[in-house]
Amino acid sequence: MTLAFTPPPGASMEAVHHAGAAAGNTAVADEAVDVLRAALAGTVAVERILLKAAAGAGKSHVLKKLVTEAVAHPGCTRVAIIAFTNKQVYPLATALGKALGRDSVCLFASKKRYDDVPEETHAHATVVTSTAGIPVESKVVVATSHKLGARGELFRLAAHFTDGDLPEEPPPVFDVLFVDEAWQLPHHLFDKVAKAAPITVGVGDVGQLPPLEIGANPWRGDPGFNPYRAWPTDFDDDDHTVAIELPAVWRPAAGHLHLWRAFYPEWRELNCVAAPGDRALVADGLTGAAADIWHTVGTGVPTLLEIAGLPTPEAADVDQPLLGQIEALLDALLAADFALTRAEYDTTGTPTGRRLTTRPGDGGDPLITVLATRNQAVDDATDMVDRLRTKHSLAATDIVASTVDSWQGQTNGITVAIHPLSGATRLDEFNSSFGRLAVTCTRATHGLLMLTRPGLPDLLREAPARPGTPFGEPGGRQLPRQTHQRILAAFTSSRLTIQNWTAG
């Protein structure tokens, strides 16, 4: 059986790659540094810098550069960096400790989480659990938003660093407050730390999951304010805020750029460091439909596969028969001695001429990640992954299963997922969430395979329109139906009909 895939319309858009693309991010980072220096010097009336990044733009590198430049400025004594989760602050503290020295960086951790702090973080940063334990010579204090925003914490920090009597309203403790993954932090948590510094720098992906899934605004009074809304959205048109976009992404293969642009249509420019041919999926011995499918995925173009002929699922988002087809396709790939290859780049995005190969057992980021939306579905996917690991003697990082929400901020080689609208009869807040689909589609470095039952175009064409949720999700919005149609147009697609289906 041979499958023919229909290419996505409009995917041959012009783009800049390699050093030309990376130079765009460097220029934006330099611009942000200049604004930050001027704000610290008091020559511009800037209170906030919002650095907007698409998924996989290399924002962590830019954040580290901004922090390093800030602490080197004569008008800066110390800075704070916050993030929403512990798993975000550990690598931040580690990277900054490597850059600035262990004595300059302090991770302000929860007592309950102290034993979870990686050894590498302990090696490169001072780790404390109390305000009194923070070295006064620390230039950088890293903490979760919950830790820094605890009741009375800013007052305790002011007392610790000043050693003197404090007014009832103490002055800011830090000169700059950096917020990693700023669009993940809800307004009510940001408000607790907003007075920590006169200048706030927010860095993050505007197309990720919102802080909370919300429907009706729970805030009585101003209908334009919601405490669960991502805090940077409150300053889009503020005179004291400078917002800048990073115009390039490092993570995806060149074939994914059309999809990335579909998620960030308001970007003035979005390019990809990887050029056509830089990434590849290599698998020997594949035959039939599996060969056609994985070859298409390996081109780097997002791939949508409709599967017909399956029995009715238990529920639209708990689809054992469709998951069984994923297992069969992955089984064929894993039996074919597959590998992911990629061109190596230097720090400027210029290819070094070397080609790197990753195979099962090599470690690092997962080679394959199976993503699911609901907990029940990910339980089934985890069972499937366990079977495949056992059958093919795979390591824990070779193939993993996760909910979309938990995989936010992660990177993997190949992503396999069931489309959130597969089998649905209507659009609702959960299955048409922009952020959830964005996370699913933007984790992979090499390929994306999305499976669905037939009828997705018909659903989007015929389902009653529902209003968008402009305060429930970050970034610009269209109606969910239109957004889904725009994103599907970035996929190459085909249909596979299963004959004489049997369970197992």
Side-chain angles (χ1 to χ4, degrees):
M1 179 191 301
T2 300
L3 286 183
F5 282 83
T6 303
S12 59
M13 302 165 66
E14 291 187 4
V16 178
H17 301 286
H18 292 158
N25 280 7
T26 301
V28 165
D30 290 342
E31 179 185 354
V33 167
D34 290 342
V35 174
L36 180 57
R37 286 174 178 165
L40 286 167
T43 57
V44 296
V46 171
E47 298 175 3
R48 281 163 297 276
I49 301 172
L50 300 179
L51 201 57
K52 300 180 178 182
K59 67 170 182 60
S60 297
H61 172 76
V62 177
L63 177 60
K64 185 171 72 171
K65 179 176 182 177
L66 288 167
V67 173
T68 302
E69 292 287 345
V71 298
H73 193 279
C76 181
T77 302
R78 71 183 65 86
V79 304
I81 307 174
I82 61 169
F84 188 59
T85 66
N86 285 286
K87 68 180 180 182
Q88 291 168 308
V89 299
Y90 300 154
L92 283 173
T94 303
L96 290 167
K98 290 179 180 179
L100 300 172
R102 186 176 187 274
D103 292 340
S104 295
V105 179
C106 177
L107 174 62
F108 189 23
S110 164
K111 289 181 181 179
K112 296 179 180 179
R113 294 285 187 171
Y114 184 84
D115 292 338
D116 298 334
V117 178
E119 291 184 8
E120 187 180 19
T121 304
H122 280 284
H124 295 284
T126 302
V127 182
V128 304
T129 59
S130 67
T131 310
I134 300 175
V136 293
E137 63 272 17
S138 295
K139 295 181 179 295
V140 179
V141 177
V142 185
T144 64
S145 54
H146 296 77
K147 183 68 173 178
L148 197 68
R151 183 183 296 273
E153 188 56 59
L154 293 183
F155 189 91
R156 289 191 293 273
L157 284 165
H160 176 67
F161 282 115
T162 57
D163 271 339
D165 293 332
L166 292 173
E168 188 172 330
E169 188 72 26
V173 181
F174 305 98
D175 296 294
V176 186
L177 172 65
F178 292 91
V179 185
D180 185 39
E181 292 296 3
W183 280 260
Q184 189 181 9
L185 192 67
H187 217 308
H188 72 97
L189 289 180
F190 174 74
D191 289 345
K192 296 177 181 179
V193 298
K195 295 182 180 179
I199 303 169
T200 301
V201 179
V203 181
D205 175 9
V206 302
Q208 61 178 326
L209 284 167
L212 272 177
E213 296 292 337
I214 64 170
N217 186 352
W219 191 260
R220 296 181 180 180
D222 181 4
F225 174 72
N226 192 317
Y228 302 125
R229 177 184 176 188
W231 71 269
T233 58
D234 206 34
F235 302 103
D236 287 339
D237 301 313
D238 183 75
D239 292 338
H240 300 290
T241 300
V242 174
I244 316 173
E245 299 166 356
L246 288 170
V249 287
W250 287 76
R251 178 184 296 154
H256 278 77
L257 182 58
H258 187 44
L259 177 62
W260 248 254
R261 287 175 171 174
F263 277 110
Y264 303 92
E266 68 275 10
W267 247 235
R268 292 189 300 271
E269 178 184 10
L270 189 59
N271 294 303
C272 180
V273 173
D278 283 1
R279 312 265 173 89
L281 184 159
V282 180
D284 299 324
L286 285 172
T287 60
D292 296 328
I293 292 164
W294 288 119
H295 170 75
T296 304
V297 173
T299 64
V301 179
T303 303
L304 180 71
L305 181 64
E306 284 189 356
I307 297 190
L310 297 177
T312 303
E314 176 183 342
D317 52 1
V318 182
D319 196 334
Q320 286 277 13
L322 195 54
L323 190 64
Q325 297 306 305
I326 291 178
E327 184 168 2
L329 288 170
L330 289 173
D331 186 34
L333 178 66
L334 292 167
D337 190 31
F338 91 101
L340 301 180
T341 68
R342 67 188 188 280
E344 182 186 61
Y345 315 111
D346 64 17
T347 56
T348 70
T350 301
T352 65
R354 293 181 62 206
R355 197 155 186 92
L356 307 177
T357 300
T358 306
R359 299 181 182 278
D362 288 347
D365 291 329
L367 291 179
I368 302 170
T369 297
V370 181
L371 293 179
T373 52
R374 305 277 188 180
N375 289 332
Q376 175 62 51
V378 81
D379 288 344
D380 294 335
T382 299
D383 291 341
M384 175 196 73
V385 164
D386 288 341
R387 290 192 295 270
L388 291 170
R389 282 179 186 157
T390 300
K391 181 176 181 179
H392 297 280
S393 302
L394 301 175
T397 58
D398 291 336
I399 181 170
V400 300
S402 173
T403 61
V404 175
D405 301 57
S406 296
W407 204 245
Q408 185 164 258
Q410 305 298 309
T411 300
N412 54 266
I414 301 292
T415 297
V416 182
I418 295 175
H419 195 285
L421 291 177
S422 175
T425 57
R426 63 184 179 88
L427 303 181
D428 59 39
E429 288 186 17
F430 191 88
N431 67 22
S432 56
S433 163
F434 173 89
R436 188 164 287 107
L437 185 60
V439 171
T440 302
C441 292
T442 58
R443 302 302 98 196
T445 58
H446 284 69
L448 168 65
L449 174 61
M450 191 86 77
L451 277 74
T452 182
R453 287 177 178 260
L456 198 52
D458 294 339
L459 170 67
L460 295 175
R461 184 174 57 252
E462 299 170 4
R466 54 178 298 271
T469 53
F471 296 130
E473 296 173 341
R477 282 295 158 270
Q478 293 177 315
L479 291 175
R481 183 170 64 182
Q482 295 169 312
T483 302
H484 274 291
Q485 288 170 331
R486 184 183 72 243
I487 292 164
L488 278 178
F491 281 76
T492 183
S493 61
S494 186
R495 173 181 287 200
L496 174 65
T497 300
I498 304 300
Q499 305 290 341
N500 303 318
W501 183 90
T502 57

